[in-house]
Amino acid sequence: MSRPHLVRRPLVAGNWKLHQTIGAARQLAREVRNALAGPRDVQVVLAPPFTALAAVAEVLEGSGIEVAAQDVWYADQGAFTGEISAPLLLDAGARHCIVGHSERRQLCGETDALVRRKVEALLAHGMRPIACVGETLEERNAGRTLDVVLRQVDAILGGLSLHAPDQLAVAYEPVWAIGTGRNALPADAQEVHAAVRRRAAEHLGEATAAGLRILYGGSVKPDNAAELLAQPDVDGALVGGASLSAASFVAIVRAAEGRIPERG
Ligand code: 13P
């Protein structure tokens, strides 16, 4: 019998999006670091904008809290004006990177194929992608949620081989739940997460899929985090708005900690 709580360490990541000057980012990182001092059963990651990566990495040094970028380009260097590569992110102190966020898919025209190239570039440099998938409201209302999400999962995981399941995390972020205050019902999130894990098993094998972290994102707040994280296939959270306050982000990390004995 599988005992997922033993193989999957919850991951809570704060996506600060286009917020925080370097000074404000340092301050917020310091508050999170101080509130979460000491050993933790939850992996905690902060994703500031590019300009604040190095400053946040410096504040978090030695804390066990890790830094993520919000995007990457697939080439290491070259004539790609405005882009940032995995080696530059590593140089700035990032070890994780969000890719395929719906805001980039929708506003910047990112395709499944581009997201896949970015995943490969990150893995090639030992960085850990947090690869986002999710359906729009229109797609959900048309009953196409799983078609869309699993197509995105196929593009990310098809033919991929991971040395360890924690090399990559998938984040299910229903587009209609992002920044709307309207989170997915826990049971609906669970249904999608379970389907993602089943599909991941086809690509990566049962053992790797059993260890893969699948995060939920979309209006995660302190008052709904526990019930979302109590779902058996919800292994953490990708938090937008609520990660801009140390108090609410830390409350979500605490909810993820609470999940561990609950599932034992
Ligand atoms: P909100 O938590 O603000 O809904 O944002 C979710 C998100 O997009 C995280 O990547």
Side-chain angles (χ1 to χ4, degrees):
M1 183 178 156
S2 77
R3 305 182 68 190
H5 58 289
L6 294 182
V7 289
R8 296 199 296 268
R9 182 181 180 213
L11 168 59
V12 176
N15 176 7
W16 293 357
K17 305 192 180 184
L18 183 45
H19 297 283
Q20 310 299 33
T21 59
I22 295 172
R26 270 189 209 282
Q27 177 61 27
L28 180 53
R30 214 176 281 124
E31 288 171 18
V32 172
R33 181 198 68 192
N34 292 345
L36 292 177
R40 278 179 307 278
D41 293 326
V42 174
Q43 185 173 25
V44 179
V45 172
L46 299 180
F50 288 137
T51 47
L53 280 174
V56 167
E58 189 185 302
V59 168
L60 296 179
E61 205 177 325
S63 70
I65 302 172
E66 293 164 318
V67 178
Q70 298 175 17
D71 189 28
V72 67
W73 192 239
Y74 59 78
D76 287 357
Q77 57 184 8
F80 300 105
T81 302
E83 294 298 342
I84 301 282
S85 65
L88 298 192
L89 295 178
L90 283 168
D91 186 45
R95 295 291 172 270
H96 306 254
C97 185
I98 298 167
V99 282
H101 194 282
S102 63
E103 286 150 16
R104 297 209 61 83
R105 291 179 189 261
Q106 295 205 312
L107 302 172
C108 310
E110 288 204 9
T111 60
D112 284 344
L114 181 59
V115 173
R116 170 54 182 249
R117 290 188 79 172
K118 293 179 174 190
V119 166
E120 287 180 8
L122 291 166
L123 292 173
H125 288 281
M127 291 189 69
R128 290 159 194 252
I130 299 172
C132 303
V133 299
E135 82 288 2
T136 63
L137 187 57
E138 199 184 7
E139 289 162 342
R140 171 159 286 258
N141 288 342
R144 296 183 49 225
T145 297
L146 290 184
D147 283 354
V148 171
V149 168
L150 296 179
R151 184 204 76 219
Q152 293 168 338
V153 168
D154 288 345
I156 291 161
L157 298 182
L160 207 66
S161 82
L162 299 180
H163 308 301
D166 67 353
Q167 270 189 293
L168 177 149
V170 173
Y172 169 55
E173 298 206 309
V175 177
W176 46 270
I178 295 177
T180 58
R182 185 184 157 200
N183 61 287
L185 295 174
D188 289 343
Q190 167 58 24
E191 186 187 343
V192 177
H193 282 230
V196 169
R197 195 177 309 285
R198 282 194 300 274
R199 186 59 69 95
E202 291 174 25
H203 293 304
L204 304 173
E206 291 286 344
T208 302
L212 181 75
R213 270 96 52 95
I214 305 174
L215 317 182
Y216 170 79
S219 296
V220 179
K221 308 287 178 207
D223 62 0
N224 62 21
E227 56 173 1
L228 286 160
L229 290 161
Q231 301 300 311
D233 287 291
V234 177
D235 307 309
L238 182 53
V239 185
S243 71
L244 295 173
S245 138
S248 56
F249 182 69
V250 167
I252 293 166
V253 173
R254 298 291 180 217
E257 282 173 342
R259 166 187 188 275
I260 295 164
E262 237 177 63
R263 297 176 68 203

